[in-house]
């Protein structure tokens, strides 16, 4: 395997994770450039002209700009770096150019973490670093004496030597907050709830088994039917879509807990939205957040990094018993026209039933007793979406039932609103925490009742109780389950899956989530002085100095005592024999000059002096050959001036 093949392999491995995200022509272009460079090396052809490289670079830049509509941002920037790395291969002339490409390879490794920071990604990129380092070792091996295995072994030793220093810097380097941020396009692909809900919104989201957040309770978790994780509250209805368009009131609503609060810590995955999720209903708020009257918790900025926060909630409560008049008016607002059948049905309930609680019971009884179906694949509805669902299709997912119930309540004069979030979650007994996935996404309703305040009403529980008690997989027919929700029941598979999630959770908590707060708490366990940045800096400098001193001492102690260089020893013997004949070599005299002077003084020894000097120079400064040293030794042994 040639050095160039090593270089191409290391760069190809570095860009491999990016290719699926780039324009289709980038991969073939990189392959063509690599093969072209190999052909140049094999046939000893000249490198391409500058004008041709500039033309290719310009065309590639234009192609990237046309695809992404910019040259800035994460995706366009990484694509440009990939293409330019391969174009740089076409102008390799000196070792310096090769080093530039190798360092570009290290930079490409870093860009891999812009897309994923999982354990498999880290292991793969560590492998790329190993091969890139082995390639660099090969280019510095002037004698080409290292085969594949020793080269990889040496690269592994070099990386292993860096591990103690890396750990020291990771633990002690003060976390001072982000000094830079990722471009906006870095968060365009994240999944999660939005601030609007229309038919199909949540049924699409639950097809993903991506983690939404993990929760660790301070005590036993609540029963599954109480695990409603509150997210955005939707007030406004228009043309089949529920949303929140008006700014939320900052004044907190009155909350009267009726049972003991549950304390817990949420580790929220980035979703590029401001809202935070809490068990229905939160009594406390995370630091730096705020909540409106509807208790939608908002962070100060969109959540673009994994966020950990603690709070407490009550699962039984009285919420906003004395509401704001404007809020009640908003909770009864409907468009002036549309869905006449639903309005007529709600009007009959209002005129025949004695109170709002009876209206709610009537609606839930309709969903429970009539031919409504809970399905992930409901038929499409028309402009009269509520009427189509209630009186024609009668097949829907949780957003259909929650939206229709709130419409009916408002039409019947009962204040109501839609709440979106998650319901349920899977307990991981290995780590004693709960996993809430996107497949747990849910929507329910809240109605305001006299003396009770806002009360959670979940029409999905009336249609499909299994959805609330056992989860989405138990509520849907097997044929409707998306692949992400299919789980084999074998105990060892479930244990393996939970073990892997536990490993990922620890990785998130202690590696990716090692922020300023966790660093301070961790170092305080050893010494409170370490928790300050001065203490961290002092400990870091002291630790690095001690580490380097220890490594240097260990290397000196274990360095083998080398004997005299056999090549130099043979040459010294040659010089000593000439010196005894009055031809002493000056300390500043090179081998060639000394041989020339000795030959002039003893022309009869010219052939022997020339042969010995030539062998010495070859062995000392050139590529060593296994037969040269014995030849030098024999020649010196026979040299008798």
């Amino acid at each position: 395997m040639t050095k160039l093949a090593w270089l191409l392999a290391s760069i190809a491995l570095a860009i491999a994770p990016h290719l699926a995200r780039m324009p289709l022509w980038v991969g073939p272009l990189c392959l063509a450039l690599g093969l072209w460079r190999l052909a140049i090396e094999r046939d000893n052809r000249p490198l391409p002209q500058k004008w041709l490289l500039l033309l290719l670079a310009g065309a590639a830049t234009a192609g990237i700009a046309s695809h992404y509509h910019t040259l800035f941002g994460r995706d366009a920037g990484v694509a440009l770096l990939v293409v330019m790395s391969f174009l740089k291969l076409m102008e390799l002339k000196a070792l310096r150019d090769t080093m530039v490409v190798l360092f570009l390879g290290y930079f490409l490794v870093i860009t891999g973490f812009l897309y994923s920071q999982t354990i498999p990604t880290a292991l793969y990129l560590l492998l790329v670093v190993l091969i890139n380092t082995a390639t660099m070792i090969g280019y510095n091996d002037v004698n080409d004496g290292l085969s594949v295995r020793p080269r990889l072994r040496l690269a592994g030793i070099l990386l292993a030597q860096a591990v103690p220093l890396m750990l020291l810097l990771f633990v002690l380097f003060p976390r001072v907050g982000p000094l830079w941020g990722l471009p906006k396009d870095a968060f365009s692909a994240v999944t999660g709830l939005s601030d609007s809900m229309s038919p199909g919104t949540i049924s699409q989201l639950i097809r993903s088994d991506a983690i939404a957040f993990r929760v660790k309770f301070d005590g036993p978790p609540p029963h599954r039917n109480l695990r409603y994780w509150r997210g955005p509250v939707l007030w406004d209805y228009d043309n089949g879509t529920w949303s929140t368009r008006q700014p939320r009131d900052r004044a907190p609503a009155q909350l009267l807990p009726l049972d003991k609060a549950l304390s817990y810590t949420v580790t929220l995955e980035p979703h590029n939205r401001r809202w935070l999720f809490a068990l229905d209903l939160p009594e406390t708020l995370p630091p730096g957040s705020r909540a409106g009257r509807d208790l939608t918790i908002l962070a100060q900025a969109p959540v673009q990094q994994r966020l950990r926060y603690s709070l407490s909630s009550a699962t039984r409560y009285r919420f906003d018993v004395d509401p704001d008049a404007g809020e009640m008016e908003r909770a009864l607002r409907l468009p002036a026209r549309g869905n006449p059948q639903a309005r007529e049905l709600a009007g009959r309930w209002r005129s025949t039933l004695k109170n709002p609680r009876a209206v709610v019971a009537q609606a839930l009884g309709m969903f429970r007793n009539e031919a409504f179906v809970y399905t992930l694949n409901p038929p499409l509805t028309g402009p009269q979406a509520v009427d189509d669902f209630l009186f024609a299709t009668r097949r829907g997912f949780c957003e259909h039932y929650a939206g229709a119930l709130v419409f009916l309540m408002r039409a019947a004069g009962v204040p109501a609103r839609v709440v979106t979030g998650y319901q349920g979650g899977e307990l991981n007994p290995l780590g004693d925490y709960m996993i809430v996935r996107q497949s747990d996404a849910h929507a329910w309703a809240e109605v305001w009742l006299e003396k009770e305040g806002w009360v959670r009403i979940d029409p999905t529980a009336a249609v499909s109780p299994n959805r609330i008690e056992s989860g989405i997989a138990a509520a849907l027919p097997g044929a409707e389950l998306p692949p992400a929700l299919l789980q084999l029941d074998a105990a060892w598979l479930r244990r393996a899956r939970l073990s892997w999630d536990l490993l990922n959770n620890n990785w998130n908590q202690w590696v990716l989530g090692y922020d300023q707060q966790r660093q301070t708490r961790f170092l305080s366990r050893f010494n409170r002085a370490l928790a300050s940045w001065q203490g961290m800096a002092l400990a870091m400098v002291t630790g690095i100095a001690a580490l380097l001193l220890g490594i240097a001492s260990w290397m000196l102690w274990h360095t083998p005592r080398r004997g005299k260089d056999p090549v130099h020893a043979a040459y010294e013997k040659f010089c000593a024999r000439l010196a005894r004949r009055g031809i002493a070599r000056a300390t500043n005299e090179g081998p060639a000059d000394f041989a020339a002077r000795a030959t002039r003084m003893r022309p009869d020894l010219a052939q022997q002096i020339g042969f010995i000097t030539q062998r010495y120079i070859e062995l000392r400064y050139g590529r060593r050959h296994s037969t040269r040293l014995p030849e030098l030794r024999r020649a010196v042994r026979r040299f008798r001036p």
Side-chain angles (χ1 to χ4, degrees):
M1 192 173 183
T2 66
K3 293 178 180 178
L4 181 61
W6 274 89
L7 181 62
L8 289 174
S10 60
I11 299 299
L13 288 172
I15 71 166
H18 296 303
L19 291 179
R21 296 183 284 261
M22 292 185 177
L24 292 177
W25 53 267
V26 172
L29 174 63
C30 293
L31 178 62
L33 290 172
L35 294 176
W36 188 6
R37 189 64 182 83
L38 281 174
I40 292 173
E41 179 87 359
R42 184 194 60 193
D43 303 335
N44 199 22
R45 298 177 184 171
L47 293 172
Q49 297 293 321
K50 282 286 184 186
W51 67 266
L52 180 56
L53 291 178
L54 288 174
L55 184 63
L56 285 172
T61 303
I64 290 170
S66 173
H67 183 84
Y68 294 105
H69 305 292
T70 179
L71 289 177
F72 300 100
R74 180 191 61 173
D75 296 338
V78 172
L80 199 60
L81 180 63
V82 167
V83 173
M84 295 306 164
S85 298
F86 269 82
L87 282 172
K88 181 66 181 174
L89 293 171
M90 309 310 294
E91 57 178 17
L92 295 183
K93 293 179 180 176
L95 181 62
R96 179 191 58 190
D97 301 323
T98 307
M99 291 299 111
V100 170
V101 175
L102 285 169
F103 281 108
L104 282 175
Y106 286 120
F107 200 77
L108 283 169
V109 168
I110 295 173
T111 61
F113 288 113
L114 298 179
Y115 294 89
S116 172
Q117 299 92 39
T118 62
I119 296 175
T121 299
L123 292 176
Y124 175 79
L125 295 179
L126 179 61
L127 173 66
V128 178
V129 169
L130 176 71
I131 294 177
N132 212 44
T133 306
T135 304
M136 184 175 289
I137 291 172
Y139 271 96
N140 286 280
D141 179 18
V142 294
N143 295 318
D144 283 340
L146 291 175
S147 59
V148 174
R149 184 173 294 182
R151 194 179 298 185
L152 290 173
R153 181 173 175 274
L154 183 55
I157 291 174
L158 287 175
L159 295 180
Q161 289 174 344
V163 169
L165 184 61
M166 178 194 71
L167 293 176
L168 192 67
L169 291 174
F170 176 79
V171 173
L172 292 175
F173 194 88
R175 265 57 174 177
V176 293
L179 300 179
W180 59 83
L182 291 175
K184 292 181 180 179
D185 63 348
F187 307 99
S188 60
V190 295
T191 58
L193 292 169
S194 73
D195 55 0
S196 64
M197 184 191 78
S198 54
T201 303
I202 294 182
S203 56
Q204 287 298 320
L205 184 59
I206 70 108
R207 297 173 191 271
S208 167
D209 69 341
I211 304 291
F213 52 88
R214 295 180 175 88
V215 186
K216 188 172 182 63
F217 285 91
D218 292 348
H223 189 270
R224 184 184 183 91
N225 61 14
L226 294 176
R227 295 202 295 262
Y228 282 83
W229 304 98
R230 191 180 189 86
V233 178
L234 309 180
W235 290 80
D236 307 304
Y237 179 76
D238 184 33
N239 198 24
T241 298
W242 290 92
S243 62
T244 294
R245 293 189 295 271
Q246 298 180 9
R248 298 179 177 86
D249 192 345
R250 289 173 179 267
Q254 183 183 13
L255 177 66
L256 177 62
L258 300 180
D259 59 1
K260 185 179 178 182
L262 297 171
S263 298
Y264 54 96
T265 299
V266 176
T267 304
L268 179 64
E269 296 294 314
H271 58 90
N272 203 28
R273 303 282 187 171
R274 290 182 59 196
W275 46 77
L276 309 179
F277 296 94
L279 187 67
D280 211 8
L281 279 169
E283 288 187 66
T284 61
L285 299 178
S289 66
R290 67 176 180 84
R293 291 188 61 86
D294 58 14
L295 280 182
T296 300
I297 304 177
L298 297 177
Q300 292 180 341
V303 180
Q304 296 177 339
Q305 295 181 351
R306 194 168 285 105
L307 179 65
R308 185 173 52 249
Y309 53 89
S310 300
L311 66 175
S312 60
S313 294
T315 54
R316 294 181 61 246
Y317 48 79
R318 290 276 189 271
F319 178 35
D320 208 9
V321 177
D322 299 315
D324 178 78
E327 187 178 80
M328 287 296 98
E329 187 275 330
R330 189 182 179 191
L332 289 169
R333 193 182 304 160
L334 285 174
R337 291 185 293 275
N339 299 295
Q341 290 179 278
R343 292 174 192 265
E344 193 273 334
L345 175 63
R348 284 205 310 272
W349 289 349
R350 183 177 184 179
S351 61
T352 57
L353 299 174
K354 56 184 179 182
N355 57 51
R357 171 62 78 177
V359 174
V360 173
Q362 183 72 23
L364 293 179
M366 178 184 70
F367 288 133
R368 183 182 301 112
N369 301 321
E370 298 185 19
F372 284 92
V373 177
Y374 185 69
T375 175
L376 191 58
N377 302 307
L380 293 176
T381 53
Q384 309 298 327
V386 177
D387 278 1
D388 288 350
F389 167 64
L390 289 176
F391 304 104
T393 67
R394 294 201 159 191
R395 300 171 66 86
F397 203 60
C398 56
E399 66 263 37
H400 294 80
Y401 292 97
L405 177 71
V406 173
F407 189 97
L408 286 170
M409 292 301 103
R410 291 188 178 189
V414 180
R417 60 194 182 192
V418 174
V419 183
T420 59
Y422 298 87
Q423 200 282 326
E426 180 184 18
L427 180 65
N428 187 340
L430 302 178
D432 195 24
Y433 64 88
M434 192 156 291
I435 309 167
V436 179
R437 303 176 186 275
Q438 298 297 346
S439 55
D440 295 314
H442 192 50
W444 60 95
E446 281 183 344
V447 300
W448 190 87
L449 301 175
E450 187 79 25
K451 298 181 181 179
E452 296 184 58
W454 288 103
V455 177
R456 181 175 62 233
I457 304 294
D458 191 350
T460 300
V463 180
S464 176
N466 282 340
R467 166 65 183 88
I468 308 305
E469 294 291 340
S470 305
I472 186 67
L476 293 173
E480 285 194 15
L481 281 177
L485 301 185
L486 290 175
Q487 295 178 359
L488 299 178
D489 294 332
W492 70 270
L493 278 177
R494 183 172 186 273
R495 185 175 180 82
R497 182 167 54 82
L498 294 177
S499 299
W500 176 245
D501 188 82
L502 176 62
L503 183 63
N504 278 290
N505 186 45
N506 288 331
W507 171 264
N508 294 337
Q509 297 288 342
W510 288 102
V511 179
L512 303 180
Y514 190 68
D515 54 11
Q516 185 178 18
Q517 182 182 7
R518 184 170 283 271
Q519 183 185 38
T520 302
R521 193 164 55 242
F522 176 70
L523 294 178
S524 297
R525 296 179 184 176
F526 302 96
N527 191 320
R528 294 184 65 85
L530 277 177
S532 65
W533 71 266
Q534 296 95 332
M536 293 181 202
L538 180 62
M540 186 172 61
V541 172
T542 305
I544 291 174
L547 183 64
L548 294 179
L549 184 63
I551 292 176
S553 301
W554 186 88
M555 293 179 67
L556 286 175
W557 183 260
H558 288 83
T559 299
R561 300 288 185 265
R562 291 183 177 177
K564 204 167 186 178
D565 182 4
V567 176
H568 191 64
Y571 186 71
E572 280 190 336
K573 188 179 291 184
F574 161 73
C575 293
R577 289 180 179 177
L578 282 174
R580 285 198 290 270
R581 295 294 180 265
I583 310 175
R585 180 189 174 200
T587 54
N588 61 345
E589 195 171 25
D593 292 340
F594 178 57
R597 184 166 64 85
T599 300
R600 287 195 300 273
M601 297 175 70
R602 290 290 303 270
D604 57 312
L605 300 174
Q607 184 176 2
Q608 287 180 285
I609 292 173
F611 181 82
I612 290 172
T613 303
Q614 181 185 357
R615 285 290 179 269
Y616 172 71
I617 292 174
E618 288 176 353
L619 289 166
R620 190 69 174 168
Y621 304 106
R623 181 176 298 181
R624 294 197 175 192
H625 194 278
S626 58
T627 62
R628 295 289 189 267
L629 182 57
E631 290 176 358
L632 175 65
R633 283 173 166 169
R634 281 196 299 272
V636 172
R637 223 174 16 249
R638 294 169 183 166
F639 184 64
R640 303 293 179 184

